[in-house]
Amino acid sequence: MSDNVVAREGARDAYGGPEMVQLLTPEGERVDHPEYSRYLDGLADEDLRGFYRDMFLVRRVDTEGTALQRQGELGLWVSLLGQEAAQIGVGRAMRKQDYAFPGYREHGVGWCRGVQPLQVMSQFRGVDQGGWDPNEVGMQLFTIVIGNQVLMGTGYAMGITLDGDVGTGDPDRDAAVVAFFGDGATAQGDVNESFVFAGVNNAPIVFFCQNNQWAISEPNERQTRGPLYHRANGFGFPGIRVDGNDVLASYAVSKAMLDRARDGQGPSFIEAFTYRMSAHTTSDDPTKYRVDAEVEVWKHRDPIQRLRAYLTRSGKADQGFFDDLEREADALAETIRAGTVGMPDPDPHGMFDHVYVEPDHALIEQQRAEFAAYAASFED
């Protein structure tokens, strides 16, 4: 093992440092925080079981997505294995009128916003032009260009301010944006430009960085010498690191920052300190750049097992609850498999239909005709 790998593992054993907000330890023990514990006061036992159900079912969706890609039914799959708590926490902290701008791994956020698993599968199968209606669920489509969605989210948040839908005191009107990105995206110009625009315009946006330790094959120390959440200070708004494997902490901190944004206090930066336990995508082989020992360390911090230990120890869930959830997950998996394989192929000529708002566009019509002639040549 190289000195660099040893140094990385030693640094990560510190697990986020003393400033990281944590409300549930890896062993499933509740701990208090002087500032953020109060954001859990309104949660009932049913809500806590709901967090577990969300994470458990989203992981099953993820498992099926990987399997379907390996079987040739999806063109690609981007796994969120290990990042469920970060996404469910912030997803459940959002209100209906809030808006999410995801990257390409936010299946858990989509679950919370009402995006159906088959709508996600259709996007990776390539049979439609997006999968879901962004305005219907308050979440934009996945963005493959690294960091581009952060600029779009910032612009949308500035629009919320111009519309007067922030700082009114009306909980059904005041809105905020959450822009999602990974640790690798923090090195992109688009993301840093977003910080500038959001800061100087006091935009109601929460920048939610899922630091899963690896930007494809590049570790954190190849991108930055300091904690990512410290970057917010240079742009004039607060930054905070939260235990991204602790769904309670993710929910509490996200709720606090979203409330702040809706009240008109401007942007904030949340670094969810987590780990990508699977490959970057199904086209990636993580064994080429990281050691198994590192993955094993993070398996002991699994977000789902952590919450299960707490629910069991505190008597908030019994074995019947977990058994019922297993059956629900099996049924969901069957629906996903059958629905994905049964998706009809799209009309290839439909790719020309929505390029421009105007129905008649000379160049598009020329390309449509050329493609039609090309397709017809195979029939002969």
Side-chain angles (χ1 to χ4, degrees), residues 211-285:
N211 179 3
N212 63 20
Q213 313 300 313
W214 291 93
I216 307 183
S217 59
E218 291 298 309
N220 281 175
E221 63 268 20
R222 295 289 296 274
Q223 302 179 74
T224 180
R225 292 292 300 273
L228 295 176
Y229 71 99
H230 283 180
R231 294 192 175 191
N233 294 330
F235 295 93
F237 50 85
I240 184 170
R241 173 178 281 179
V242 64
D243 186 344
N245 285 22
D246 174 1
V247 67
L248 301 186
S250 178
Y251 171 83
V253 171
S254 298
K255 192 172 188 305
M257 295 301 105
L258 282 165
D259 286 349
R260 181 181 180 278
R262 297 188 202 99
D263 288 344
Q265 299 180 50
S268 60
F269 181 107
I270 298 175
E271 177 191 355
F273 198 77
T274 182
Y275 193 78
R276 191 195 79 217
M277 291 199 291
S278 61
H280 174 70
T281 71
T282 48
S283 65
D284 171 47
D285 180 5

Side-chain angles (χ1 to χ4, degrees), residues 69-369:
Q69 193 283 328
R70 296 306 190 204
Q71 295 162 8
E73 300 294 345
L74 300 179
L76 183 74
W77 182 253
V78 185
S79 176
L80 54 45
L81 185 65
Q83 299 179 218
E84 296 91 351
Q87 294 190 19
I88 296 302
V90 63
R92 289 305 177 197
M94 296 177 70
R95 293 178 184 168
K96 182 179 180 180
Q97 67 268 29
D98 295 334
Y99 216 101
F101 283 80
Y104 43 69
R105 200 184 302 276
E106 280 68 48
H107 315 312
V109 179
W111 174 273
C112 294
R113 301 302 291 171
V115 176
Q116 300 303 307
L118 284 175
Q119 292 178 309
V120 179
M121 297 299 168
S122 70
Q123 190 172 50
F124 285 101
R125 191 171 170 87
V127 299
D128 56 35
Q129 299 183 1
W132 61 86
D133 182 348
N135 291 326
E136 181 179 320
V137 297
M139 175 170 158
Q140 270 296 324
L141 300 174
F142 286 162
T143 307
I144 203 69
V145 180
I146 305 299
N148 180 252
Q149 73 278 5
V150 186
L151 270 178
M152 293 189 290
T154 299
Y156 190 94
M158 292 166 62
I160 290 176
T161 302
L162 293 174
D163 289 340
D165 293 331
V166 62
T168 69
D170 183 350
D172 296 322
R173 176 180 176 183
D174 291 338
V177 168
V178 184
F180 296 89
F181 52 98
D183 45 289
T186 61
Q188 292 288 332
D190 283 1
V191 174
N192 289 273
E193 290 165 8
S194 301
F195 294 166
V196 173
F197 274 96
V200 299
N201 289 283
N202 205 46
I205 184 170
V206 175
F207 296 108
F208 196 90
C209 173
Q210 294 170 83
N211 179 3
N212 63 20
Q213 313 300 313
W214 291 93
I216 307 183
S217 59
E218 291 298 309
N220 281 175
E221 63 268 20
R222 295 289 296 274
Q223 302 179 74
T224 180
R225 292 292 300 273
L228 295 176
Y229 71 99
H230 283 180
R231 294 192 175 191
N233 294 330
F235 295 93
F237 50 85
I240 184 170
R241 173 178 281 179
V242 64
D243 186 344
N245 285 22
D246 174 1
V247 67
L248 301 186
S250 178
Y251 171 83
V253 171
S254 298
K255 192 172 188 305
M257 295 301 105
L258 282 165
D259 286 349
R260 181 181 180 278
R262 297 188 202 99
D263 288 344
Q265 299 180 50
S268 60
F269 181 107
I270 298 175
E271 177 191 355
F273 198 77
T274 182
Y275 193 78
R276 191 195 79 217
M277 291 199 291
S278 61
H280 174 70
T281 71
T282 48
S283 65
D284 171 47
D285 180 5
T287 64
K288 301 294 185 182
Y289 54 81
R290 69 184 187 189
V291 296
D292 291 341
E294 179 177 298
V295 181
E296 288 301 316
V297 168
W298 280 89
K299 283 183 179 179
H300 292 291
R301 300 166 180 165
D302 185 284
I304 296 180
Q305 293 304 317
R306 179 184 307 203
L307 184 57
R308 177 167 181 153
Y310 171 66
L311 292 175
T312 302
R313 183 181 297 115
S314 62
K316 299 181 185 298
D318 57 17
Q319 189 58 45
F321 166 77
F322 298 113
D323 291 343
D324 288 344
L325 194 53
E326 288 280 1
R327 287 188 285 270
E328 184 180 0
D330 289 342
L332 176 62
E334 291 181 10
T335 299
I336 291 172
R337 288 194 295 270
T340 300
V341 174
M343 288 178 182
D345 292 333
D347 176 10
H349 302 274
M351 73 175 84
F352 302 98
D353 291 344
H354 303 290
V355 179
Y356 289 96
V357 174
E358 299 82 7
D360 298 319
H361 189 281
L363 179 59
I364 294 299
E365 293 307 314
Q366 176 187 338
Q367 293 175 346
R368 187 197 301 271

Side-chain angles (χ1 to χ4, degrees), residues 48-59:
L48 300 177
R49 290 192 294 270
F51 286 152
Y52 184 86
R53 176 181 177 273
D54 288 339
M55 292 194 292
F56 192 85
L57 294 181
V58 165
R59 179 167 292 189

